Amino acid sequence: MLSSNDAALIADHAFDADLEGWLHPAQQALIIDRGWLRMLAPRAVGGFELPLPEVVRLEESIARVDGSMGWTVTLCAGAGWFGGFLAPRLAREILATPKVCLAGSGAPTGYADREGEGWRIDGLWDYASGAPMATHFTFNAMLRENGQPLLDAAGEPRIQAFVVPAALVEIVPRWRSIGLRATASHAYRVSGKWVHADHGFEIDPARACSDGPLYRFPFLAFAFVTLAANVAGMAHHFVALAEECIGHRRNRFGGQGEPLIEVPAVRAALDGARSALAGVRERFYARLDATWAQVAEGAAVSEEDAAQMQALAMEWVNASRRAVDALYPYCGLYAAREDSPVNRVWRDFHTASQHALLLPFACSGQTATEPL
């Protein structure tokens, strides 16, 4: 879990980071010093390979303090998880990089043309959270040979993941979202750069190069639980700040102008939001802990278990949406001020919850088809 000293440091610099559009140097140093970007990478190649439930709880606790910090750690540490699917020699080389940080995008908005023992890469990708501190970038690209798409067994274009050093990448600074400003989730371009075939990899438990339980956990379920914990962490922060806002307001429609927080409907909204979030959170972690225990014992995650994990993650996200949207109207114009903490958290929450994976219908058993 996050220590009180680390939480204080993160909080102290959150306003300036949001204003500047990138994490404060002290926040960046904390991320590196704590090794948070290595926590999901294989131990054998220089990572920490921590249990997934421990990682998710840490990511949630960071997001409870600052959404941009939590999101950056989660997305960049998640890219470090790809080390379990890379050739060990390359993974070891990457993890040996000073202040290593992997950033990237899942959308297949580029091409990889076969050339000799490798691929010639061309493309532009969006939303690389943590781009300014990235030492390496990951992305998905459509494969081609002699200008023609390579097809899979179903006749669909083949898509493969790649990792390349930052020296081959041009950052395109166009992150202008209302929230998560300090994640600096800029676009990036690779223009005609060649990489060896070893830089391509598949995110599939059957193709993992490391045999730890982390790399037997299905990617989609992994993505859902880490993103949901961030969104819920931001919602928890918002509820706490909303109560503070409401506590300073008066009910202008009450006969005696009583404190707004004492109005039964308002108190019920606050208590209901907290209760709903706490209830889903408890069931979410119970399921995650149980699923992880099975994987740690050598079992595979069944499709049913993965679907249940995904559904609980989305239930937590949707409960977070309801809590934030229910309480915001009671917070007054102060919550609309761009320089207020409650507004920053509101902006961060509504930006994070727009992630393509977190469409509201996902908890119904359907999944998003838009690239992550």
Side-chain angles (χ1 to χ4, degrees), residues 350-372:
H350 281 289
T351 301
S353 60
Q354 288 298 110
H355 192 283
L357 195 66
L358 303 180
L359 293 173
F361 62 62
C363 64
S364 67
Q366 303 178 65
T367 56
T369 57
E370 182 180 342
L372 307 188

Side-chain angles (χ1 to χ4, degrees), residues 163-355:
V163 60
V164 301
L168 302 186
V169 172
E170 173 196 359
I171 294 177
V172 182
R174 62 184 193 188
W175 177 242
R176 298 183 182 90
S177 173
I178 64 165
L180 296 182
R181 291 174 177 173
T183 64
S185 300
H186 296 307
Y188 57 105
R189 177 183 289 117
V190 180
S191 302
K193 303 298 184 181
W194 185 89
V195 295
H196 191 273
D198 282 353
H199 288 258
F201 60 99
E202 293 184 44
I203 309 168
D204 180 349
R207 305 298 297 273
C209 297
S210 297
D211 59 3
L214 266 176
Y215 315 106
R216 296 197 301 274
F217 207 90
F219 172 65
L220 196 58
F222 172 91
F224 266 100
V225 299
T226 55
L227 295 181
N230 266 266
V231 170
M234 294 177 216
H236 181 278
H237 193 185
F238 180 86
V239 171
L241 292 174
E243 181 169 21
E244 185 178 327
C245 286
I246 296 168
H248 288 93
R249 302 190 71 204
R250 291 273 173 180
N251 178 18
R252 294 181 181 274
F253 298 98
Q256 303 299 318
E258 79 270 35
L260 186 61
I261 201 167
E262 294 180 7
V263 174
V266 178
R267 172 49 64 186
L270 271 168
D271 292 345
R274 278 210 181 86
S275 177
L277 289 174
V280 183
R281 183 181 188 274
E282 183 178 359
R283 289 185 286 113
F284 171 90
Y285 280 116
R287 168 57 61 181
L288 178 59
D289 290 342
T291 303
W292 177 256
Q294 294 174 4
V295 178
E297 292 172 0
V301 178
S302 69
E303 289 187 8
E304 181 181 356
D305 286 341
Q308 289 179 358
M309 194 73 260
Q310 173 183 319
L312 271 171
M314 278 310 306
E315 188 179 344
W316 202 11
V317 170
N318 289 332
S320 297
R321 287 184 171 119
R322 289 191 294 271
V324 171
D325 291 344
L327 296 180
Y328 183 77
Y330 297 114
C331 295
L333 282 174
Y334 175 74
R337 280 179 43 178
E338 192 175 7
D339 61 345
S340 69
V342 68
N343 180 267
R344 185 179 69 250
V345 177
W346 183 88
R347 289 186 283 108
D348 288 347
F349 174 85
H350 281 289
T351 301
S353 60
Q354 288 298 110
H355 192 283

Side-chain angles (χ1 to χ4, degrees), residues 52-185:
L52 184 58
E54 179 181 336
V55 171
V56 174
R57 284 178 168 92
L58 174 63
E59 291 170 348
E60 183 200 354
S61 67
I62 298 173
R64 284 186 177 211
V65 178
D66 179 44
S68 283
M69 182 82 160
W71 194 259
T72 302
V73 168
T74 297
L75 273 292
C76 293
W81 177 70
F82 297 154
F85 303 90
L86 294 173
R89 177 199 60 77
L90 178 60
R92 194 173 293 110
E93 176 184 309
I94 290 173
L95 269 293
T97 305
K99 299 182 180 180
V100 64
C101 172
L102 285 81
S105 170
T109 54
Y111 295 94
D113 290 280
R114 194 190 298 279
E115 185 176 313
E117 296 183 353
W119 302 91
R120 183 75 59 180
I121 308 293
D122 252 300
L124 175 67
W125 292 266
D126 263 317
Y127 311 136
S129 298
M133 69 187 295
T135 59
H136 297 77
F137 285 81
T138 64
F139 52 84
N140 284 325
M142 290 182 279
L143 304 183
R144 298 189 300 197
E145 187 169 18
N146 298 322
Q148 298 300 313
L150 295 176
L151 306 179
D152 60 20
E156 298 294 327
R158 284 180 56 193
I159 295 172
Q160 184 166 297
F162 289 87
V163 60
V164 301
L168 302 186
V169 172
E170 173 196 359
I171 294 177
V172 182
R174 62 184 193 188
W175 177 242
R176 298 183 182 90
S177 173
I178 64 165
L180 296 182
R181 291 174 177 173
T183 64
S185 300

